[in-house]
Coordinates of all heavy atoms in Angstrom, one line a residue:
M954 N 149.2 131.4 31.5 CA 149.4 130.3 32.4 C 148.1 129.7 32.9 O 148.0 128.5 33.0 CB 150.2 130.8 33.6 CG 150.5 129.7 34.6 SD 151.8 130.1 35.7 CE 152.0 128.5 36.5
F955 N 147.1 130.5 33.1 CA 145.8 129.9 33.6 C 144.8 130.0 32.5 O 143.7 130.5 32.8 CB 145.4 130.7 34.9 CG 146.4 130.7 35.9 CD1 146.8 131.9 36.6 CD2 147.0 129.5 36.3 CE1 147.7 131.9 37.6 CE2 147.9 129.5 37.4 CZ 148.3 130.7 38.0
E956 N 145.1 129.6 31.4 CA 144.2 129.7 30.3 C 143.0 128.7 30.3 O 142.0 129.0 29.8 CB 144.9 129.7 28.9 CG 146.0 130.8 28.9 CD 146.3 131.2 27.5 OE1 146.0 130.4 26.6 OE2 146.7 132.3 27.3
T957 N 143.3 127.5 30.7 CA 142.3 126.5 30.8 C 142.0 126.1 32.2 O 142.8 126.3 33.1 CB 142.7 125.3 30.0 OG1 143.8 124.7 30.7 CG2 143.1 125.6 28.6
E958 N 140.8 125.6 32.4 CA 140.4 125.1 33.7 C 141.4 124.0 34.1 O 141.8 123.9 35.3 CB 139.0 124.5 33.6 CG 138.3 124.3 35.0 CD 137.8 125.6 35.6 OE1 138.1 126.7 35.0 OE2 137.2 125.5 36.6
E959 N 141.9 123.2 33.2 CA 142.8 122.1 33.5 C 144.1 122.7 34.1 O 144.7 122.2 35.0 CB 143.1 121.2 32.3 CG 144.1 120.1 32.7 CD 144.4 119.1 31.5 OE1 143.5 119.0 30.7 OE2 145.4 118.6 31.5
S960 N 144.7 123.7 33.4 CA 145.9 124.3 33.9 C 145.7 124.9 35.3 O 146.6 124.8 36.1 CB 146.5 125.3 32.9 OG 145.6 126.4 32.8
C961 N 144.5 125.4 35.6 CA 144.2 125.9 36.9 C 144.2 124.8 37.9 O 144.8 124.9 39.0 CB 142.8 126.6 36.9 SG 142.8 128.0 35.9
V962 N 143.6 123.7 37.6 CA 143.5 122.5 38.5 C 144.9 122.0 38.8 O 145.2 121.7 39.9 CB 142.6 121.4 37.8 CG1 142.7 120.1 38.6 CG2 141.1 121.8 37.8
R963 N 145.7 121.9 37.8 CA 147.1 121.4 38.0 C 147.9 122.3 38.9 O 148.7 121.9 39.7 CB 147.8 121.2 36.7 CG 147.3 120.0 35.9 CD 148.1 119.8 34.6 NE 147.5 118.7 33.8 CZ 147.8 117.5 34.1 NH1 148.6 117.1 35.1 NH2 147.2 116.5 33.4
Y964 N 147.6 123.6 38.7 CA 148.3 124.6 39.5 C 147.9 124.5 41.0 O 148.8 124.5 41.9 CB 148.1 126.0 39.0 CG 148.9 127.0 39.7 CD1 150.3 127.1 39.5 CD2 148.3 127.9 40.5 CE1 151.0 128.0 40.1 CE2 149.1 128.9 41.2 CZ 150.4 128.9 41.0 OH 151.2 129.9 41.7
I965 N 146.6 124.4 41.2 CA 146.1 124.3 42.6 C 146.7 123.0 43.2 O 147.1 123.0 44.4 CB 144.6 124.3 42.6 CG1 144.1 125.6 42.2 CG2 144.1 123.9 44.0 CD1 142.6 125.7 41.9
A966 N 146.7 121.9 42.4 CA 147.2 120.6 43.0 C 148.6 120.8 43.4 O 149.0 120.2 44.4 CB 147.0 119.5 41.9
M967 N 149.4 121.5 42.6 CA 150.8 121.7 42.9 C 151.0 122.4 44.3 O 151.9 122.2 45.0 CB 151.5 122.4 41.8 CG 153.0 122.5 41.9 SD 153.7 123.6 40.6 CE 153.2 125.2 41.2
I968 N 150.1 123.4 44.5 CA 150.2 124.2 45.7 C 149.7 123.3 46.9 O 150.3 123.3 48.0 CB 149.3 125.5 45.6 CG1 149.9 126.4 44.6 CG2 149.3 126.2 47.0 CD1 149.1 127.6 44.2
R969 N 148.6 122.6 46.7 CA 148.1 121.8 47.8 C 148.9 120.6 48.2 O 149.0 120.2 49.3 CB 146.7 121.3 47.5 CG 145.6 122.4 47.5 CD 144.2 121.8 47.5 NE 143.9 121.2 48.8 CZ 142.8 120.6 49.1 NH1 141.9 120.3 48.1 NH2 142.5 120.1 50.3
W970 N 149.5 120.0 47.2 CA 150.3 118.8 47.4 C 151.7 119.0 46.7 O 152.0 118.4 45.7 CB 149.6 117.6 46.8 CG 148.2 117.4 47.3 CD1 147.9 117.0 48.6 CD2 147.0 117.5 46.6 NE1 146.6 116.9 48.8 CE2 146.0 117.2 47.6 CE3 146.6 117.7 45.3 CZ2 144.6 117.2 47.2 CZ3 145.3 117.7 45.0 CH2 144.3 117.5 45.9
P971 N 152.5 119.8 47.4 CA 153.8 120.1 46.7 C 154.7 118.9 46.6 O 155.6 118.9 45.7 CB 154.4 121.2 47.7 CG 153.6 121.1 48.9 CD 152.3 120.5 48.6
K972 N 154.5 117.9 47.4 CA 155.3 116.7 47.2 C 154.6 115.6 46.4 O 155.1 114.5 46.3 CB 155.6 116.1 48.6 CG 156.5 116.9 49.4 CD 156.7 116.4 50.8 CE 157.5 117.4 51.7 NZ 157.4 117.1 53.1
G973 N 153.5 116.0 45.8 CA 152.8 115.1 44.9 C 151.5 114.6 45.5 O 151.4 114.6 46.7
L974 N 150.6 114.4 44.7 CA 149.3 113.9 45.1 C 149.3 112.6 45.8 O 150.0 111.7 45.3 CB 148.3 113.9 43.9 CG 146.9 113.5 44.2 CD1 146.2 114.6 45.0 CD2 146.2 113.3 42.8
K975 N 148.6 112.4 46.9 CA 148.5 111.1 47.5 C 147.0 110.8 47.6 O 146.2 111.6 48.2 CB 149.1 111.2 48.9 CG 149.8 109.9 49.2 CD 150.7 110.0 50.4 CE 151.7 108.8 50.4 NZ 152.9 109.0 51.1
C976 N 146.6 109.6 47.2 CA 145.2 109.3 47.3 C 144.8 109.1 48.7 O 145.5 108.5 49.5 CB 145.0 107.9 46.6 SG 143.3 107.2 46.8
V977 N 143.6 109.8 49.1 CA 143.2 109.7 50.5 C 142.7 108.4 50.9 O 142.6 108.0 52.1 CB 142.1 110.8 50.8 CG1 142.7 112.2 50.7 CG2 140.9 110.6 49.9
K978 N 142.3 107.6 49.9 CA 141.8 106.2 50.2 C 142.8 105.2 50.3 O 142.8 104.4 51.3 CB 140.8 105.8 49.1 CG 139.5 106.6 49.1 CD 138.6 106.3 50.2 CE 137.4 107.2 50.3 NZ 136.6 107.1 51.5
C979 N 143.8 105.1 49.4 CA 144.7 104.0 49.4 C 146.2 104.5 49.5 O 147.1 103.6 49.6 CB 144.5 103.1 48.1 SG 145.1 103.9 46.6
G980 N 146.4 105.8 49.5 CA 147.8 106.3 49.5 C 148.5 106.2 48.2 O 149.7 106.5 48.1
G981 N 147.8 105.8 47.2 CA 148.4 105.7 45.8 C 148.9 107.0 45.4 O 148.3 108.1 45.7
E982 N 150.0 107.0 44.6 CA 150.6 108.3 44.2 C 150.4 108.5 42.7 O 151.0 109.5 42.2 CB 152.0 108.4 44.6 CG 152.2 108.4 46.1 CD 153.6 108.4 46.6 OE1 154.5 108.1 45.8 OE2 153.8 108.7 47.8
K983 N 149.7 107.6 42.1 CA 149.6 107.9 40.6 C 148.1 108.1 40.3 O 147.2 107.4 40.7 CB 150.0 106.6 39.9 CG 151.5 106.5 40.0 CD 152.1 105.4 39.1 CE 153.6 105.4 39.1 NZ 154.2 104.4 38.3
A984 N 147.9 109.3 39.7 CA 146.5 109.7 39.3 C 146.6 110.4 38.0 O 147.6 110.9 37.6 CB 146.0 110.6 40.4
Y985 N 145.4 110.4 37.4 CA 145.3 111.2 36.2 C 144.1 112.1 36.3 O 143.2 111.9 37.1 CB 145.2 110.4 34.9 CG 144.0 109.5 34.8 CD1 142.8 109.9 34.3 CD2 144.1 108.1 35.2 CE1 141.7 109.1 34.2 CE2 143.0 107.3 35.2 CZ 141.8 107.8 34.6 OH 140.7 107.0 34.6
L986 N 144.1 113.2 35.5 CA 143.1 114.2 35.6 C 141.9 113.8 34.6 O 142.2 113.5 33.4 CB 143.7 115.5 35.1 CG 143.0 116.8 35.6 CD1 142.7 116.8 37.1 CD2 143.8 118.0 35.1
T987 N 140.7 113.7 35.1 CA 139.6 113.3 34.3 C 139.1 114.5 33.5 O 139.4 115.7 33.8 CB 138.5 112.7 35.1 OG1 137.9 113.8 35.9 CG2 138.9 111.6 36.1
A988 N 138.1 114.3 32.6 CA 137.5 115.4 31.8 C 136.8 116.3 32.8 O 136.6 117.5 32.4 CB 136.6 114.8 30.8
R989 N 136.3 115.8 33.9 CA 135.6 116.7 34.8 C 136.5 117.4 35.8 O 136.1 117.9 36.9 CB 134.5 115.9 35.6 CG 133.4 115.5 34.6 CD 132.4 114.5 35.3 NE 131.9 115.0 36.5 CZ 131.8 114.3 37.6 NH1 132.2 113.0 37.6 NH2 131.4 114.8 38.7
H990 N 137.9 117.3 35.6 CA 138.9 118.0 36.4 C 138.9 117.4 37.8 O 139.1 118.1 38.8 CB 138.7 119.5 36.4 CG 138.6 120.1 35.0 ND1 137.5 120.7 34.5 CD2 139.5 120.1 34.0 CE1 137.7 121.1 33.3 NE2 138.9 120.7 33.0
L991 N 138.8 116.1 37.9 CA 139.0 115.4 39.1 C 140.2 114.5 39.0 O 140.5 114.0 37.9 CB 137.8 114.5 39.5 CG 136.5 115.2 39.7 CD1 135.3 114.2 39.7 CD2 136.5 116.0 40.9
F992 N 141.0 114.3 40.1 CA 142.1 113.4 40.0 C 141.6 112.0 40.3 O 140.9 111.7 41.3 CB 143.2 113.8 41.0 CG 144.0 114.9 40.5 CD1 143.7 116.2 40.9 CD2 144.9 114.8 39.5 CE1 144.4 117.3 40.4 CE2 145.6 115.8 39.0 CZ 145.4 117.1 39.5
H993 N 141.9 111.1 39.4 CA 141.4 109.7 39.4 C 142.6 108.8 39.8 O 143.5 108.7 39.1 CB 140.8 109.3 38.1 CG 140.2 108.0 38.0 ND1 138.9 107.7 38.0 CD2 140.8 106.7 38.0 CE1 138.6 106.4 38.0 NE2 139.8 105.8 38.0
C994 N 142.5 108.2 41.0 CA 143.6 107.3 41.4 C 143.6 106.1 40.6 O 142.6 105.4 40.4 CB 143.3 106.9 42.9 SG 144.5 105.7 43.5
R995 N 144.8 105.8 40.1 CA 145.0 104.6 39.2 C 144.9 103.3 40.0 O 144.5 102.3 39.4 CB 146.4 104.7 38.5 CG 146.5 105.7 37.4 CD 147.9 105.7 36.8 NE 148.1 106.8 35.9 CZ 147.7 106.8 34.6 NH1 147.1 105.7 34.1 NH2 147.9 107.8 33.9
A996 N 145.2 103.4 41.3 CA 145.2 102.1 42.0 C 143.8 101.7 42.5 O 143.4 100.6 42.3 CB 146.0 102.3 43.3
C997 N 143.0 102.7 43.0 CA 141.7 102.3 43.5 C 140.5 103.0 42.9 O 139.3 102.6 43.1 CB 141.6 102.6 45.1 SG 141.5 104.3 45.5
G998 N 140.7 103.9 42.0 CA 139.7 104.6 41.3 C 139.0 105.7 42.0 O 138.0 106.3 41.5
W999 N 139.5 106.0 43.2 CA 138.9 107.2 43.9 C 139.1 108.5 43.2 O 140.2 108.7 42.6 CB 139.6 107.2 45.3 CG 139.2 108.4 46.1 CD1 139.9 109.5 46.4 CD2 137.9 108.6 46.8 NE1 139.1 110.4 47.2 CE2 137.9 109.8 47.5 CE3 136.7 107.8 46.9 CZ2 136.8 110.3 48.2 CZ3 135.7 108.2 47.6 CH2 135.7 109.5 48.3
Q1000 N 138.1 109.3 43.2 CA 138.2 110.6 42.5 C 138.2 111.7 43.5 O 137.4 111.8 44.4 CB 137.1 110.7 41.5 CG 137.2 109.8 40.3 CD 136.3 110.1 39.2 OE1 135.3 110.7 39.4 NE2 136.7 109.6 38.0
Q1001 N 139.2 112.6 43.3 CA 139.3 113.7 44.3 C 139.4 115.0 43.6 O 140.0 115.2 42.6 CB 140.7 113.4 45.0 CG 140.9 114.3 46.2 CD 142.1 113.9 47.0 OE1 142.6 112.8 46.8 NE2 142.4 114.7 47.9
S1002 N 138.6 115.9 44.2 CA 138.6 117.3 43.6 C 139.8 118.1 44.3 O 139.9 118.0 45.5 CB 137.3 117.9 43.9 OG 137.4 119.3 43.7
V1003 N 140.5 118.9 43.5 CA 141.5 119.7 44.1 C 141.0 120.8 44.9 O 141.7 121.3 45.8 CB 142.5 120.4 43.0 CG1 143.5 119.4 42.4 CG2 141.7 121.1 42.0
T1004 N 139.7 121.2 44.7 CA 139.2 122.3 45.4 C 138.4 121.8 46.7 O 137.9 122.6 47.4 CB 138.3 123.1 44.6 OG1 137.3 122.3 44.0 CG2 139.0 123.8 43.5
E1005 N 138.3 120.5 46.8 CA 137.6 119.9 48.0 C 138.1 120.5 49.3 O 139.3 120.5 49.5 CB 137.8 118.4 48.0 CG 136.9 117.7 49.0 CD 135.5 117.4 48.4 OE1 135.4 116.8 47.4 OE2 134.5 117.8 49.1
G1006 N 137.3 121.0 50.1 CA 137.7 121.5 51.4 C 138.4 122.9 51.3 O 138.9 123.3 52.3
T1007 N 138.3 123.5 50.2 CA 138.9 124.9 50.1 C 137.8 125.8 49.8 O 136.6 125.5 49.5 CB 139.9 125.0 49.0 OG1 139.2 124.9 47.7 CG2 140.9 123.9 49.0
L1008 N 138.1 127.1 49.8 CA 137.2 128.2 49.5 C 136.6 128.0 48.1 O 135.6 128.5 47.8 CB 137.9 129.5 49.6 CG 138.2 130.1 50.9 CD1 139.0 131.4 50.8 CD2 136.9 130.4 51.6
L1009 N 137.5 127.4 47.3 CA 137.1 127.4 45.8 C 136.1 126.3 45.5 O 135.5 126.3 44.4 CB 138.3 127.1 45.0 CG 139.5 128.1 45.2 CD1 140.6 127.8 44.3 CD2 139.0 129.5 45.0
H1010 N 135.8 125.4 46.5 CA 134.9 124.3 46.2 C 133.5 124.8 45.9 O 133.0 125.7 46.6 CB 134.9 123.4 47.4 CG 134.3 122.1 47.1 ND1 134.6 121.3 46.0 CD2 133.3 121.3 47.7 CE1 133.9 120.2 45.9 NE2 133.1 120.2 47.0
R1011 N 133.0 124.4 44.8 CA 131.6 124.8 44.4 C 131.5 126.2 44.0 O 130.4 126.8 44.1 CB 130.5 124.4 45.4 CG 130.4 122.9 45.6 CD 129.4 122.6 46.6 NE 129.5 121.2 47.0 CZ 129.1 120.1 46.3 NH1 128.5 120.3 45.2 NH2 129.2 118.9 46.8
T1012 N 132.6 126.9 43.8 CA 132.5 128.3 43.4 C 131.8 128.4 42.0 O 131.9 127.5 41.2 CB 133.9 128.9 43.3 OG1 133.8 130.2 42.8 CG2 134.8 128.1 42.3
R1013 N 131.1 129.4 41.9 CA 130.4 129.6 40.6 C 131.2 130.4 39.6 O 130.8 130.7 38.5 CB 129.0 130.2 40.8 CG 129.0 131.5 41.4 CD 127.6 131.8 42.1 NE 127.6 133.0 42.8 CZ 127.3 134.2 42.2 NH1 127.0 134.3 40.9 NH2 127.4 135.3 42.9
Y1014 N 132.4 130.8 40.1 CA 133.3 131.5 39.1 C 134.3 130.5 38.6 O 134.7 129.6 39.3 CB 134.1 132.6 39.9 CG 133.1 133.7 40.4 CD1 132.9 133.7 41.8 CD2 132.5 134.6 39.6 CE1 132.0 134.7 42.3 CE2 131.6 135.5 40.1 CZ 131.4 135.6 41.4 OH 130.5 136.5 41.9
P1015 N 134.8 130.8 37.4 CA 135.9 130.0 36.8 C 137.1 130.0 37.7 O 137.4 131.1 38.3 CB 136.2 130.6 35.5 CG 135.0 131.4 35.1 CD 134.4 131.9 36.4
L1016 N 137.8 128.9 37.9 CA 139.0 128.8 38.7 C 140.0 129.9 38.4 O 140.7 130.4 39.2 CB 139.6 127.5 38.7 CG 138.9 126.3 39.4 CD1 139.6 125.0 39.1 CD2 138.8 126.6 40.9
K1017 N 140.1 130.2 37.1 CA 141.1 131.1 36.7 C 140.9 132.5 37.3 O 141.9 133.2 37.6 CB 141.3 131.2 35.2 CG 140.3 131.8 34.4 CD 140.7 131.9 33.0 CE 139.7 132.7 32.1 NZ 140.2 132.7 30.7
N1018 N 139.7 132.9 37.6 CA 139.5 134.2 38.2 C 140.1 134.2 39.6 O 140.7 135.2 40.0 CB 138.0 134.5 38.3 CG 137.3 134.7 37.0 OD1 138.0 134.6 35.9 ND2 136.1 135.1 37.0
W1019 N 139.9 133.1 40.3 CA 140.4 133.0 41.7 C 142.0 132.9 41.6 O 142.6 133.5 42.4 CB 139.9 131.7 42.3 CG 138.5 131.8 42.7 CD1 137.5 131.2 42.0 CD2 137.9 132.5 43.8 NE1 136.3 131.5 42.6 CE2 136.5 132.2 43.7 CE3 138.4 133.2 44.8 CZ2 135.6 132.8 44.6 CZ3 137.5 133.8 45.7 CH2 136.1 133.5 45.6
L1020 N 142.4 132.2 40.6 CA 143.9 132.0 40.6 C 144.6 133.3 40.2 O 145.7 133.5 40.7 CB 144.2 130.9 39.5 CG 144.1 129.5 40.1 CD1 144.3 128.5 39.0 CD2 145.1 129.3 41.2
E1021 N 144.0 134.1 39.5 CA 144.7 135.4 39.2 C 144.9 136.2 40.5 O 145.9 136.8 40.6 CB 143.9 136.2 38.1 CG 144.3 135.7 36.7 CD 143.3 136.1 35.7 OE1 142.4 137.0 35.9 OE2 143.3 135.5 34.6
V1022 N 143.9 136.1 41.4 CA 144.1 136.7 42.7 C 145.1 136.0 43.5 O 146.1 136.6 44.0 CB 142.8 136.8 43.4 CG1 142.9 137.3 44.8 CG2 141.7 137.6 42.6
A1023 N 145.0 134.7 43.6 CA 145.9 133.8 44.4 C 147.3 134.0 43.9 O 148.2 134.0 44.7 CB 145.4 132.4 44.3
W1024 N 147.5 134.0 42.6 CA 148.8 134.2 42.0 C 149.6 135.3 42.6 O 150.7 135.2 43.0 CB 148.7 134.3 40.5 CG 150.0 134.6 39.8 CD1 150.4 135.8 39.4 CD2 151.0 133.7 39.5 NE1 151.6 135.7 38.8 CE2 152.1 134.4 38.9 CE3 151.2 132.3 39.8 CZ2 153.2 133.8 38.5 CZ3 152.4 131.7 39.4 CH2 153.4 132.4 38.7
H1025 N 148.9 136.5 42.7 CA 149.5 137.7 43.2 C 149.9 137.5 44.7 O 151.0 137.9 45.1 CB 148.7 138.9 43.0 CG 148.5 139.2 41.6 ND1 149.6 139.7 40.8 CD2 147.5 139.2 40.7 CE1 149.2 139.9 39.6 NE2 147.9 139.6 39.5
I1026 N 149.1 136.9 45.4 CA 149.4 136.6 46.9 C 150.6 135.7 47.0 O 151.5 136.0 47.7 CB 148.1 136.0 47.6 CG1 147.0 137.0 47.5 CG2 148.5 135.6 49.0 CD1 145.6 136.4 47.9
F1027 N 150.5 134.6 46.2 CA 151.5 133.6 46.3 C 152.9 134.2 45.8 O 153.9 133.9 46.5 CB 151.1 132.4 45.3 CG 152.0 131.2 45.6 CD1 151.7 130.4 46.7 CD2 152.9 130.8 44.6 CE1 152.5 129.2 46.8 CE2 153.7 129.7 44.8 CZ 153.5 128.9 45.9
E1028 N 152.8 134.9 44.8 CA 154.0 135.5 44.2 C 154.7 136.4 45.3 O 155.9 136.4 45.4 CB 153.6 136.3 43.0 CG 154.8 136.7 42.1 CD 154.2 137.5 40.9 OE1 153.1 137.2 40.5 OE2 154.9 138.4 40.5
Q1029 N 153.9 137.2 46.0 CA 154.5 138.1 47.0 C 155.1 137.4 48.1 O 156.0 137.8 48.7 CB 153.4 139.1 47.5 CG 153.1 140.2 46.5 CD 151.8 140.9 46.8 OE1 151.3 140.8 47.9 NE2 151.3 141.7 45.8
K1030 N 154.4 136.3 48.5 CA 154.8 135.5 49.6 C 156.1 134.7 49.4 O 157.0 134.7 50.3 CB 153.7 134.5 50.0 CG 153.3 134.5 51.4 CD 152.1 133.7 51.6 CE 152.0 133.0 52.9 NZ 150.8 132.1 53.0
H1031 N 156.2 134.1 48.3 CA 157.3 133.2 48.0 C 158.3 133.6 47.0 O 159.4 133.1 46.9 CB 156.7 131.8 47.6 CG 155.8 131.2 48.6 ND1 156.3 130.6 49.8 CD2 154.5 131.2 48.7 CE1 155.3 130.2 50.5 NE2 154.2 130.6 49.9
G1032 N 157.9 134.6 46.2 CA 158.8 135.0 45.1 C 158.7 134.0 43.9 O 158.4 132.8 44.2
L1033 N 158.9 134.4 42.8 CA 158.8 133.6 41.6 C 159.8 132.4 41.6 O 159.4 131.3 41.1 CB 159.1 134.4 40.3 CG 157.9 135.3 39.9 CD1 158.4 136.2 38.8 CD2 156.7 134.4 39.4
S1034 N 160.9 132.5 42.2 CA 161.9 131.5 42.2 C 161.4 130.2 42.9 O 161.9 129.1 42.7 CB 163.2 131.9 42.8 OG 163.0 132.3 44.2
A1035 N 160.4 130.4 43.8 CA 159.9 129.2 44.5 C 159.0 128.3 43.7 O 158.6 127.2 44.1 CB 159.2 129.6 45.8
L1036 N 158.7 128.9 42.5 CA 157.7 128.1 41.7 C 158.3 127.3 40.7 O 159.1 127.7 39.9 CB 156.8 129.2 41.0 CG 155.9 130.0 41.9 CD1 155.2 131.0 41.1 CD2 154.8 129.1 42.6
G1037 N 157.9 126.0 40.6 CA 158.3 125.2 39.5 C 157.1 125.3 38.5 O 156.0 125.6 38.9
A1038 N 157.4 125.1 37.3 CA 156.3 125.1 36.3 C 155.5 123.8 36.4 O 156.1 122.7 36.4 CB 156.8 125.3 34.9
P1039 N 154.2 123.9 36.5 CA 153.3 122.7 36.6 C 153.1 122.1 35.3 O 152.0 122.0 34.8 CB 152.0 123.3 37.2 CG 152.0 124.7 36.7 CD 153.4 125.1 36.6
T1040 N 154.1 121.6 34.7 CA 154.0 121.1 33.3 C 154.1 119.5 33.3 O 153.9 119.0 32.2 CB 155.1 121.6 32.4 OG1 156.4 121.4 33.1 CG2 154.9 123.1 32.2
R1041 N 154.4 118.9 34.4 CA 154.5 117.4 34.3 C 153.1 116.8 33.8 O 152.1 117.2 34.3 CB 154.8 116.8 35.7 CG 156.3 116.9 35.9 CD 156.6 116.3 37.3 NE 155.9 117.1 38.3 CZ 155.8 116.6 39.6 NH1 156.4 115.5 39.9 NH2 155.2 117.4 40.5
D1042 N 153.2 115.9 33.0 CA 152.0 115.5 32.3 C 151.4 114.2 32.9 O 152.1 113.2 32.8 CB 152.3 115.3 30.8 CG 151.0 115.4 30.0 OD1 150.1 116.1 30.5 OD2 151.0 114.9 28.9
G1043 N 150.3 114.3 33.5 CA 149.5 113.1 33.9 C 150.0 112.5 35.2 O 149.2 112.4 36.1
L1044 N 151.2 112.2 35.3 CA 151.7 111.5 36.5 C 152.3 112.4 37.5 O 152.8 113.4 37.2 CB 152.7 110.4 36.2 CG 152.1 109.3 35.2 CD1 153.2 108.3 34.9 CD2 151.0 108.6 35.9
W1045 N 152.3 112.0 38.8 CA 152.8 112.8 39.8 C 154.1 112.2 40.3 O 154.3 111.1 40.4 CB 151.9 112.9 41.0 CG 150.7 113.6 40.5 CD1 149.6 113.0 39.9 CD2 150.4 115.0 40.6 NE1 148.7 114.0 39.6 CE2 149.2 115.2 40.0 CE3 151.2 116.1 41.1 CZ2 148.6 116.5 39.8 CZ3 150.6 117.3 40.9 CH2 149.4 117.5 40.3
Ligands
ZN1383 ZN1 143.6 105.3 45.6

């Protein structure tokens, strides 16, 4: 599940913004993931990091190392049934 940095980013985004990503600048709800793993708002071009303001920001470890830990915490807290698969492509 957490094989690539991108899948990690999408997973974190799903946890942080369970109702969908909202641009902090313009409130736009459509964004795509850039090659640098930032969400790029289609409306205003603002780029937002999913890890901004979290413990994971500027971590020198790959996100998947953190997620493997977080996954176990999350799983215990909510149970697997609370999880939807973060497979939606591109749009929120
Ligand atoms: Zn925007």
Side-chain angles (χ1 to χ4, degrees):
M954 181 161 186
F955 304 131
E956 298 207 338
T957 65
E958 196 77 353
E959 179 177 333
S960 62
C961 295
V962 166
R963 288 183 182 281
Y964 185 72
I965 294 169
M967 188 187 72
I968 294 170
R969 286 197 76 184
W970 302 294
K972 291 174 185 164
L974 183 67
K975 218 170 196 155
C976 174
V977 293
K978 291 290 174 187
C979 74
E982 292 177 347
K983 291 189 174 175
Y985 61 87
L986 201 54
T987 70
R989 289 170 55 225
H990 306 115
L991 297 169
F992 285 98
H993 183 106
C994 174
R995 287 182 190 272
C997 73
W999 177 252
Q1000 293 191 333
Q1001 190 169 350
S1002 164
V1003 283
T1004 55
E1005 189 83 54
T1007 72
L1008 284 175
L1009 305 182
H1010 195 49
R1011 295 181 194 282
T1012 177
R1013 57 201 178 89
Y1014 299 106
L1016 285 176
K1017 70 176 187 177
N1018 292 7
W1019 291 102
L1020 277 174
E1021 274 159 19
V1022 176
W1024 173 258
H1025 291 295
I1026 297 168
F1027 193 77
E1028 195 179 327
Q1029 281 166 17
K1030 227 169 149 184
H1031 300 282
L1033 283 172
S1034 62
L1036 293 172
T1040 53
R1041 278 181 298 169
D1042 204 23
L1044 298 177
W1045 294 87

